[in-house]
Amino acid sequence: MSYVLIIGAKSDIAKEVARIYAKNGYNLYLAARESASLEELKQDIALRSGVEVVLKEFDITAYETHESFYSSLEEKPLGAIVISGYMTEQKEAQKEWNKTLETINVNYTGAVSILNIIANDFEKERRGFIVGVSSVAGDRGRKANYIYGSAKAAFSAYLSGLRNRLYESGVQVLTVKPGFVHTKMTEHLDLPPKLTASPSEVAEDIFNAQQKGRNVLYTKPIWMVIMLIIKHIPEFLFKKMSI
Amino acid sequence: MNLFSWGMYPKIKSNVFSLRDTESLCAYAEKTEEFIPYGNGRSYGDSALADNIVYTKPYNNFLAFDAQEGILECQAGVLLSEILDTLVKRGWFLKVTPGTKLITIGGAIASDVHGKNHHTEGCFSECIEEMTLMLPDGEIKSCKKGDALFHATCGGMGLTGVILSAKISLKKINSKHINQTTIKTKNLKETFEAFEKYKDMPYSVAWIDCLAKDEEIGKCLLMVGDFANDGDLEYKSKKKLTIPFTFPSFALNNLSVKAFNWLYYAKAPNGISKQKVDIDTFFYPLDAIGDWNKIYGSGGFTQYQFILPKESSFDGLKEILGKISASGKGSFLAVLKLYGKANDNYLSFPMEGYSLALDFKIETGLFELLDALDEVVVRHGGRIYLTKDVRVSRETFEQGYPLIETFRTFRKENNMDKKLQSLQSKRVCI
């Protein structure tokens, strides 16, 4: 069976996405920094699903390595899923340029760098799917996390354009916009249970949406309604609000 | 974050530490004054609630599988459902499973859970070949049957350390189907006779009609069964229905009255009927309804589960069913089961006798009723199941568990009693 490439394979969401694709028979390339720490997950997936799992060293901000990374994949993947994300405290990012830059580079520049390469290959082969995990935070900038949000907004716009370009080649592009998710990244936050998904729920939503050929996925689905409202608040009101 | 267990009562604020690796757990245990492990939140009461909890579900890798012997080694956060998803199609099933598959391995050990085959196979601890824990001082220790640490930990409600991984011995099956026989009885005497008659069947459980009065008290549907042998192992977990909002509680009783009556009058018209059902229907009927706990409303509910020694079961049950029926509280359906012999674990619930479990919505007057039932349970030499409990008194608890002092001493000697505490362990002074 074909390979799926997971970029940013160390996150909680990635772990569950890997498991669900493996459960459905896909072999996996798991790409991350210090990929050796994924040995346990590799063993876990092999035991659960019996598929091939290949660990790949990958740094999303080492752009110059991306070409050689992709050409090192012996069998080219049928699908690529970019889950890499970096969220820092908004207040810290405001003060420290390095943190702002890291946020932009991981969430946007790096994702664009690797996806440009993958998109060219998929377009040529006229097959494949690309899944980009963006965020509801990209739907409108808020003072609470607009640096992260703006990087995700750029990524969403990129994916939208890519979908438009690759439509003719039959390559699917899915933009995923999770709301709150219980992960390492959000552990310290007091999240409202009804609006918060578990990593395995998000993974299941991603898998189902991708298999159905969908374009944009909000997970949980309620976030589509929430963001629709937030996007439509007039700017003269919105600028006074704290949400 | 806001935290509660399956009964949604009580709801508290807790600091959550997610278990991902042993190094960070060790550092956490060192700097945290008091904590308790929390798995998938399926115990009913306050066994896993505390100001600080170690959330073990993210620690959920499969580590090894011996396909010859059927022994799976996995981390403590793995759910039973994940084991079934992977291994039923290869012909393996859990030797012991409770009525939900949505619990972690760590939780199954800490509660020393049991199922429909307790009378033939015993508790979950029977299938643990070996397990590893982190003690509160950060030491990682393995233990197996015969070790004091093993007998304290199985059924020990997370009060001996954080369970990290276990080797579980599985049962070979050749079908995903169970041949089930349903027996209809008219009263408690007939129910007891039926349990005795079918005690060689590996799996058995009865639904009791709690509204029945006078001569009809104890009227039930007894379901017994065993795995079929048809070679069909194409198991796929059923899609869940979900309950998106909390219900008024009469809805549940109406539903269960209908379900029971339908089965009682239609499905077993001649006293005995036979069905072929799948694993999920037979073992996990309630898992098919996502969050069925919401059905009791946002105030929450509790499950009252007790067991009585065999010799006093008949009189005790009759008295308790009479009191429940007269109170007008409680779910319409209760689950009754005949258990096999007790094991050597210090705080495991089962003993040879009959256990009854039923749900109560949390409301005024409930705890007074349950206190009155406790009195009957204690008088007949019985005990309360800590995994379901949220309110039992220290006195009632102690009278039911003769090895409690052994457990307390073990905790003290091993410096477990300061760091590992839950709301429940404080209430009953474990």
Side-chain angles (χ1 to χ4, degrees):
Chain A
M1 188 95 171
S2 323
Y3 276 86
V4 170
L5 166 64
I6 298 180
I7 303 274
K10 277 204 287 203
S11 75
D12 289 345
I13 293 176
K15 180 175 171 178
E16 296 301 334
V17 168
R19 280 178 175 163
I20 197 164
Y21 274 89
K23 188 175 166 183
N24 286 280
Y26 292 90
N27 295 321
L28 298 174
Y29 291 120
L30 301 183
R33 273 188 304 183
E34 292 156 27
S35 57
S37 66
L38 288 169
E39 277 298 339
E40 266 194 12
L41 180 63
K42 175 182 172 176
Q43 170 79 346
D44 170 78
I45 290 173
L47 287 167
R48 287 179 192 240
S49 310
V51 300
E52 290 292 326
V53 183
V54 180
L55 303 184
K56 283 285 183 183
E57 195 59 31
F58 179 77
D59 182 346
I60 198 158
T61 57
Y63 320 120
E64 70 285 356
T65 63
H66 289 181
E67 278 285 0
S68 60
F69 162 80
Y70 192 71
S71 57
S72 79
L73 304 178
E74 271 185 27
E75 186 185 329
K76 294 294 173 258
L78 176 69
I81 305 175
V82 178
I83 309 185
S84 308
Y86 175 75
M87 187 162 67
T88 181
E89 282 284 320
Q90 168 69 26
K91 290 211 170 80
E92 285 179 32
Q94 277 166 218
K95 272 184 266 166
E96 290 179 49
W97 170 244
N98 279 343
K99 293 213 160 151
T100 293
L101 197 59
E102 177 83 357
T103 306
I104 295 168
N105 286 346
V106 174
N107 293 301
Y108 181 60
T109 323
V112 168
S113 163
I114 185 66
L115 281 180
N116 275 353
I117 297 164
I118 294 170
N120 291 343
D121 179 46
F122 285 10
E123 186 178 44
K124 194 172 81 215
E125 299 295 329
R126 301 187 68 80
R127 58 142 183 77
F129 65 84
I130 289 169
V131 178
V133 177
S134 184
S135 169
V136 294
D139 279 10
R140 192 162 192 181
R142 298 171 301 116
K143 66 180 171 189
N145 71 343
Y146 66 85
I147 291 181
Y148 173 78
S150 61
K152 287 298 193 186
F155 188 38
S156 294
Y158 173 84
L159 291 167
S160 164
L162 194 61
R163 178 160 44 245
N164 194 192
R165 164 187 157 195
L166 294 178
Y167 171 73
E168 280 188 9
S169 326
V171 177
Q172 177 200 0
V173 178
L174 169 65
T175 310
V176 181
K177 296 182 178 180
F180 298 138
V181 188
H182 281 299
T183 64
K184 266 180 271 194
M185 215 156 73
T186 60
E187 197 160 85
H188 56 289
L189 304 173
D190 213 352
L191 301 174
K194 288 204 168 89
L195 302 180
T196 309
S198 68
S200 53
E201 283 168 331
V202 171
E204 203 177 322
D205 283 355
I206 290 176
F207 179 77
N208 291 335
Q210 184 274 310
Q211 295 285 310
K212 283 184 196 143
R214 296 207 14 218
N215 302 315
V216 179
L217 165 73
Y218 283 87
T219 165
K220 299 184 161 195
I222 180 76
W223 283 96
M224 191 169 82
V225 182
I226 295 170
M227 296 322 293
L228 189 74
I229 295 166
I230 290 179
K231 279 192 285 192
H232 283 85
I233 300 171
E235 196 63 34
F236 74 91
L237 280 177
F238 191 79
K239 72 178 181 186
K240 300 175 195 164
M241 294 169 71
S242 291
I243 52 171
Chain B
M1 63 181 280
N2 290 313
L3 197 74
F4 47 89
S5 294
W6 191 237
M8 302 200 294
Y9 172 86
K11 292 178 179 162
I12 62 164
K13 283 249 178 225
S14 289
N15 303 309
V16 177
F17 167 80
S18 294
L19 175 56
R20 290 197 170 81
D21 55 78
T22 51
E23 294 78 25
S24 59
L25 175 63
C26 187
Y28 174 84
E30 197 174 315
K31 68 166 204 269
T32 311
E33 204 170 313
E34 227 180 68
F35 62 91
I36 195 79
Y38 181 104
N40 200 32
R42 288 290 174 130
S43 63
Y44 283 64
D46 52 0
S47 328
L49 299 183
D51 290 341
N52 299 304
I53 63 141
V54 172
Y55 180 52
T56 61
K57 206 174 136 200
Y59 197 63
N60 66 352
N61 284 327
F62 282 35
L63 301 173
F65 181 61
D66 178 342
Q68 289 298 312
E69 302 291 326
I71 294 175
L72 173 72
E73 184 177 9
C74 64
Q75 291 175 334
V78 168
L79 297 177
L80 301 187
S81 60
E82 298 175 68
I83 297 179
L84 301 185
D85 281 346
T86 308
L87 293 176
V88 168
K89 55 179 174 284
R90 294 192 234 169
W92 298 100
F93 189 67
L94 300 158
K95 276 189 177 160
V96 171
T97 176
T100 172
K101 56 182 175 173
L102 302 174
I103 63 166
T104 62
I105 287 295
I109 295 171
S111 286
D112 202 11
V113 296
H114 57 273
K116 293 178 172 165
N117 60 352
H118 184 270
H119 60 294
T120 55
E121 298 285 344
C123 290
F124 195 75
S125 51
E126 292 301 322
C127 64
I128 303 296
E129 299 286 316
E130 193 181 352
M131 67 173 145
T132 306
L133 297 88
M134 185 179 287
L135 306 182
D137 62 4
E139 186 191 350
I140 295 179
K141 217 167 172 175
S142 292
C143 60
K144 48 175 65 162
K145 211 168 288 162
D147 300 341
L149 181 59
F150 182 92
H151 295 293
T153 300
C154 296
M157 309 311 285
L159 296 166
T160 58
V162 179
I163 299 166
L164 297 173
S165 65
K167 285 184 188 165
I168 306 145
S169 149
L170 301 165
K171 168 196 173 88
K172 191 92 197 123
I173 53 170
N174 191 31
S175 175
K176 62 167 184 182
H177 293 117
I178 285 91
N179 289 319
Q180 173 180 275
T181 305
T182 306
I183 302 107
K184 185 161 89 169
T185 70
K186 295 199 187 72
N187 53 45
L188 194 60
K189 184 163 166 289
E190 278 192 25
T191 300
F192 272 47
E193 285 165 2
F195 264 112
E196 286 296 337
K197 185 174 168 195
Y198 289 95
K199 71 174 178 222
D200 292 335
M201 290 300 278
Y203 298 103
S204 67
V205 71
W207 290 359
I208 290 249
D209 170 356
C210 286
L211 296 185
K213 289 204 168 27
D214 307 323
E215 276 80 63
E216 287 204 317
I217 279 186
K219 145 183 163 187
C220 88
L221 283 166
L222 171 65
M223 284 150 282
V224 301
D226 194 4
F227 274 94
N229 192 24
D230 55 17
D232 179 2
L233 291 164
E234 279 298 307
Y235 172 74
K236 218 168 176 205
S237 216
K238 286 208 173 121
K239 271 262 165 262
K240 279 191 299 194
L241 289 167
T242 48
I243 296 179
F245 51 87
T246 44
F247 266 56
S249 60
F250 65 84
L252 178 66
N253 265 347
N254 282 342
L255 274 175
S256 55
V257 167
K258 276 189 190 141
F260 183 87
N261 285 340
W262 181 73
L263 286 168
Y264 195 82
Y265 294 107
K267 223 172 172 186
N270 305 316
I272 293 185
S273 67
K274 290 186 187 297
Q275 304 89 29
K276 190 171 183 177
V277 295
D278 61 20
I279 284 172
D280 283 352
T281 309
F282 188 74
F283 291 102
Y284 314 112
L286 284 176
D287 285 347
I289 311 167
D291 303 327
W292 64 264
N293 54 342
K294 286 188 190 161
I295 223 160
Y296 287 97
S298 56
F301 75 109
T302 186
Q303 186 170 89
Y304 189 69
Q305 182 167 8
F306 62 91
I307 188 161
L308 301 176
K310 211 168 174 185
E311 56 281 8
S312 60
S313 285
F314 188 80
D315 294 341
L317 272 170
K318 212 160 186 179
E319 191 175 343
I320 288 173
L321 285 168
K323 277 188 197 293
I324 292 170
S325 166
S327 78
K329 291 187 164 67
S331 54
F332 159 73
L333 280 185
V335 173
L336 180 75
K337 174 160 175 58
L338 175 59
Y339 285 47
K341 293 216 175 339
N343 59 25
D344 294 333
N345 303 333
Y346 304 158
L347 294 185
S348 283
F349 168 70
M351 61 163 94
E352 191 166 14
Y354 282 88
S355 159
L356 184 78
L358 74 158
D359 299 340
F360 290 93
K361 180 184 157 76
I362 301 284
E363 58 184 333
T364 353
L366 171 64
F367 289 174
E368 288 79 359
L369 169 69
L370 299 183
D371 287 343
L373 301 183
D374 282 352
E375 186 273 316
V376 186
V377 170
V378 167
R379 178 153 43 80
H380 286 92
R383 58 170 68 142
I384 304 291
Y385 193 6
L386 287 177
T387 301
K388 310 285 178 77
D389 165 65
V390 73
R391 35 65 53 188
V392 77
S393 71
R394 177 181 176 174
E395 293 69 32
T396 302
F397 161 72
E398 283 178 344
Q399 289 177 69
Y401 288 85
L403 291 179
I404 179 60
E405 280 313 320
T406 315
F407 187 76
R408 281 180 179 139
T409 312
F410 181 82
R411 278 205 351 125
K412 275 204 188 84
E413 282 173 355
N414 292 282
N415 294 319
M416 296 160 171
D417 55 329
K418 301 267 179 332
K419 286 236 153 152
L420 293 160
Q421 289 283 359
S422 63
L423 295 185
Q424 182 177 58
S425 74
K426 288 185 172 176
R427 176 161 42 81
V428 299
C429 300
I430 301 183

